[in-house]
Structure formats: structure tokens, C-alpha cells
């Protein structure tokens, strides 16, 4: 058994006028962006499980974690089984063929054919692609691209078990 997929989230400052060096997690909210499961080697899966063991929390319907955008209402296969706090999460570099509109995730955009390229141990969730970054890319989606996305539901990350 193990995680078969991850719900990826992107951070956004609640108050854009705040000092960029402010590390207050309460000033950040995460938006769901895509679900990805392909591209991870067995070694990376094992490293993730070892690093995050005992840090996952059960997803409780109608009790979205406070660091997530509260408007997200997952249905069916999009409902996570677990979530992790941002400080315990990790960054994936994800590749997709294009950014497309969606109602599934609360960024209102998602990656078409997302695939994990690598685990980014050199980045924290504070350095991940933001919601504003995603919105600025929506008119430049030709030819594929790389994004560093915060995993989690960082707080929005949620693995799904087999």
C-alpha cells in the first residue's frame, strides 16, 4: 500500500500588501490546483513516506483545514483521504501539457496531463508556484512547461491510499 495520488495546492497571501518577508502562516491560504500520481519512482515514494510518516491527518468532510481556501467542495475521486500541514509538506516539480479551466479545483485552473518531474528538496512551500503565478500563466500555456507546486494540500496535499 501507499499513496497513489496527491492533491496539489498553490499558496496565496491573504493580504497582498503585507511584507513579503512575513513568515506568518496565518497570512497564507492554499488553493487546490491539480491531482497528480504519475511520474514518481519507487525510491521517491519511499522517501516521501519516510519523511512524512505520522504527519498525515485524516480528511474530515465539512471541516476543511484552516489554511485551505474554504470554498473548495471536493466530490467523488477528488476527496482526499489525508492532508498534511504546510511545514511538513514537500514540493514537486510538475509538468503538464497546458493549463485549462476547471470547476474541480478552486484555482479554477488545472494542468492537463500532469506528471511529477521530481521532488524538490531544495524548496519549501513558501517558494512554490503561487496562485498569482498560475493566473499569470493562463495565457501562455502552449507547448508544456514546468511548475514547482506545493504538495498538499500543503496544506493541501492529500495522498490517496491503494
Amino acid at each position: 500500500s501507499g499513496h497513489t495520488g496527491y492533491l496539489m495546492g498553490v499558496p496565496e497571501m491573504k493580504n497582498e500588501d503585507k511584507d513579503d518577508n512575513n513568515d506568518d502562516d496565518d497570512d497564507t491560504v492554499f488553493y487546490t490546483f491539480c491531482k497528480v500520481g504519475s511520474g514518481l519512482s519507487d525510491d521517491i515514494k519511499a522517501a516521501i513516506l519516510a519523511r512524512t510518516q505520522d504527519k498525515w491527518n485524516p480528511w474530515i468532510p465539512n471541516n476543511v483545514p484552516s489554511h485551505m481556501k474554504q470554498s473548495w467542495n471536493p466530490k467523488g475521486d477528488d476527496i482526499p483521504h489525508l492532508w498534511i500541514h504546510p511545514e511538513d509538506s514537500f514540493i514537486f516539480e510538475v509538468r503538464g501539457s497546458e493549463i485549462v479551466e476547471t470547476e474541480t479545483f478552486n484555482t479554477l485552473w488545472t494542468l492537463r496531463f500532469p506528471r511529477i518531474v521530481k521532488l524538490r528538496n531544495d524548496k519549501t512551500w513558501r517558494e512554490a508556484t503561487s496562485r498569482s503565478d498560475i493566473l499569470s500563466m493562463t495565457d501562455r500555456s502552449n507547448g508544456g512547461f514546468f511548475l514547482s507546486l506545493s504538495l498538499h494540500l500543503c496544506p493541501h496535499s492529500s495522498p490517496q491510499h491503494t
Side-chain angles (χ1 to χ4, degrees):
S1 77
H3 302 160
T4 59
Y6 294 95
L7 175 66
M8 306 296 289
V10 292
E12 182 82 313
M13 291 295 294
K14 288 182 186 176
N15 184 349
E16 291 293 343
D17 297 330
K18 291 247 181 185
D19 179 0
D20 286 341
N21 294 323
N22 184 350
D23 285 343
D24 186 355
D25 293 350
D26 291 340
D27 288 333
T28 304
V29 66
F30 289 82
Y31 286 73
T32 56
F33 179 63
C34 70
K35 208 168 59 169
V36 64
S38 63
L40 276 182
S41 69
D42 290 340
D43 288 345
I44 292 176
K45 287 179 188 177
I48 290 168
L49 289 175
R51 181 171 144 188
T52 61
Q53 188 172 6
D54 301 326
K55 296 184 179 183
W56 294 98
N57 303 288
W59 181 268
I60 300 170
N62 302 318
N63 190 17
V64 175
S66 62
H67 46 268
M68 289 186 66
K69 180 72 174 167
Q70 298 298 303
S71 64
W72 188 56
N73 185 20
K75 295 174 180 58
D77 289 343
D78 296 319
I79 299 171
H81 298 268
L82 304 168
W83 65 273
I84 195 168
H85 287 281
E87 63 271 11
D88 295 323
S89 66
F90 43 92
I91 304 297
F92 285 138
E93 190 169 291
V94 178
R95 182 176 185 171
S97 63
E98 63 182 329
I99 297 176
V100 295
E101 290 183 85
T102 185
E103 292 183 10
T104 302
F105 305 106
N106 61 14
T107 53
L108 301 180
W109 296 91
T110 192
L111 282 179
R112 186 168 184 201
F113 308 122
R115 184 176 191 284
I116 295 168
V117 176
K118 64 181 171 180
L119 180 63
R120 294 294 303 264
N121 290 317
D122 61 320
K123 289 191 171 202
T124 69
W125 67 263
R126 289 181 177 86
E127 299 167 287
T129 301
S130 71
R131 179 175 173 262
S132 296
D133 295 334
I134 298 293
L135 296 178
S136 72
M137 290 182 221
T138 57
D139 63 349
R140 292 180 274 154
S141 58
N142 295 336
F145 47 86
F146 288 92
L147 300 174
S148 293
L149 296 175
S150 171
L151 178 247
H152 182 254
L153 292 199
C154 185
H156 13 80
S157 155
S158 110
Q160 303 192 348
H161 290 281
T162 54

